Amino acid sequence: MFECTDDGRAAIVVRLTGGARSDNLKYMSRLIFAALTSACIVNSAAAQRVAGRDLLDFPIGLAGEAPALSSQMTAGLWNPATSALDPGVRGAFGVAGLSTPQEQGVRLVLLGASYRLHDGLTASVSLGQASVSDILLTGTDPQSLGSDVAYGTKVISTGLSGERKNVRFGLAGRYRSGVLDTDHSSGFSLDGGAIVDRLAGTPVRLALSTFLLTPWRKSQEATYMAAADVPLVARDSIFVVRGGYSMSRTAAHGHEEYAFATSSYGPLDISGGLLQSTIFGSTSHKWRLGCGLRYASYTVAVGREDGAAGLPGSFQFLLTRTVR
């Protein structure tokens, strides 16, 4: 896919490097996909005031979980309410990394930390960074010109969360900056979220949250998320299986629907499901899977999500630690 810089030059985003292949049909299909995708990307870039918003579509910090209910990664990037620490836990910190294969060259890193205050509230801070490597600058033909084009974004978040009875709630302020070639832009957003552990006395759990919501001006495309799940199997606290459904919608971009299941067996957590994603009118189905292991005060998790339009999937690694 391609991006257009301010001076009208084109940048090739999809990297088609490597040696020649005998399967010419497969090689040509990638070229055709890049050409078709370019129309969508150019249109979105024109309406996008802070560059790099599309890079945050990747599920950084999600090990197969629904975004609004995600609890593996600390600091609550997708839902500020999930950063609320349990009683007896003084603090938590963690790191998550996501990468895609050479065809896309996308890299994301997320750092987060939370600290429980004396009045039961939890303060949190996180830093997320996403970028694409080897974006080639071209003129009127595929011949590259000069150095690569910089394309990426950073998100700095600070939040406050707490709980009352069976409801967890949170609020987060975010500063996001983006770069596209020589163009630098930034914007502020204010997000909120809540999780109800028992809805109307039933075992249904409900979560609502926003991401990059800017009430005062449309400098960023906000995402609205909702999710609900219910226990399917519960044998004390040793073995629990929950099934649920989540959905999200991003303004002027698209929407996602996710049917998922999560299970816990002692120190082992497994999450996964089928994701239906509609972006700029194009619909794709992808599998999302994650596995986590808790040992002492540490949690290690890995995750994978299928790619769209024939592209390989993304992989991520997550490590957190709690302090009591």
Side-chain angles (χ1 to χ4, degrees):
M1 54 187 173
F2 302 83
E3 288 282 359
C4 287
T5 60
D6 291 340
D7 55 6
R9 299 176 295 177
I12 301 177
V13 175
V14 175
R15 299 160 52 198
L16 301 174
T17 59
R21 300 187 181 185
S22 59
D23 190 353
N24 291 331
L25 180 60
K26 183 176 180 181
Y27 178 75
M28 287 302 297
S29 68
R30 293 184 179 181
L31 291 177
I32 294 172
F33 167 72
L36 293 176
T37 307
S38 66
C40 297
I41 298 302
V42 169
N43 289 336
S44 65
Q48 180 172 284
R49 298 186 184 180
V50 181
R53 176 63 178 87
D54 54 307
L55 298 180
L56 299 177
D57 291 338
F58 289 91
I60 181 68
L62 300 178
E65 304 164 289
L69 288 169
S70 173
S71 59
Q72 292 275 21
M73 181 61 184
T74 189
L77 176 67
W78 302 106
N79 185 348
T82 61
S83 64
L85 297 176
D86 295 332
V89 178
R90 185 172 54 178
F93 56 92
V95 57
L98 182 148
S99 64
T100 65
Q102 182 179 355
E103 288 82 352
Q104 289 178 295
V106 178
R107 299 290 183 272
L108 294 93
V109 177
L110 176 64
L111 304 174
S114 300
Y115 182 77
R116 187 175 177 87
L117 304 176
H118 68 279
D119 53 0
L121 297 177
T122 298
S124 61
V125 60
S126 67
L127 169 63
Q129 180 175 346
S131 62
V132 182
S133 59
D134 294 348
I135 302 180
L136 306 178
L137 187 65
T138 66
T140 57
D141 56 59
Q143 183 67 37
S144 61
L145 303 174
S147 59
D148 295 345
V149 175
Y151 185 60
T153 184
K154 294 181 180 179
V155 182
I156 301 174
S157 305
T158 58
L160 194 65
S161 59
E163 58 182 311
R164 184 176 179 84
K165 295 183 178 180
N166 66 322
V167 179
R168 286 175 284 165
F169 51 88
L171 192 66
R174 310 188 196 275
Y175 171 77
R176 186 171 77 86
S177 61
V179 57
L180 172 58
D181 197 17
T182 59
D183 176 53
H184 294 262
S185 51
S186 61
F188 290 91
S189 61
L190 185 64
D191 293 310
I195 299 176
V196 181
D197 289 324
R198 294 184 62 86
L199 183 62
T202 69
V204 175
R205 185 171 58 167
L206 177 66
L208 300 171
S209 64
T210 65
F211 183 62
L212 298 180
L213 177 62
T214 309
W216 46 89
R217 65 187 183 95
K218 296 180 179 180
S219 62
Q220 305 187 72
E221 294 86 354
T223 299
Y224 305 88
M225 293 167 282
D229 69 355
V230 62
L232 302 178
V233 178
R235 298 179 181 175
D236 298 325
S237 58
I238 303 299
F239 181 57
V240 179
V241 178
R242 303 182 70 94
Y245 174 82
S246 77
M247 56 185 176
S248 65
R249 179 174 295 274
T250 302
H253 187 64
H255 63 274
E256 292 184 346
E257 299 178 51
Y258 185 43
F260 64 92
T262 62
S263 65
S264 298
Y265 183 72
L268 182 65
D269 298 320
I270 299 177
S271 302
L274 180 62
L275 176 73
Q276 177 179 288
S277 177
T278 301
I279 300 178
F280 304 121
S282 177
T283 300
S284 61
H285 295 82
K286 299 178 288 185
W287 289 100
R288 179 180 288 174
L289 180 65
C291 180
L293 180 64
R294 289 174 276 112
Y295 178 77
S297 59
Y298 293 90
T299 296
V300 178
V302 293
R304 184 188 186 278
E305 181 176 302
D306 289 343
L311 289 174
S314 62
F315 295 86
Q316 69 172 296
F317 172 81
L318 184 151
L319 173 64
T320 64
R321 185 189 177 188
T322 58
V323 180
R324 297 184 180 273

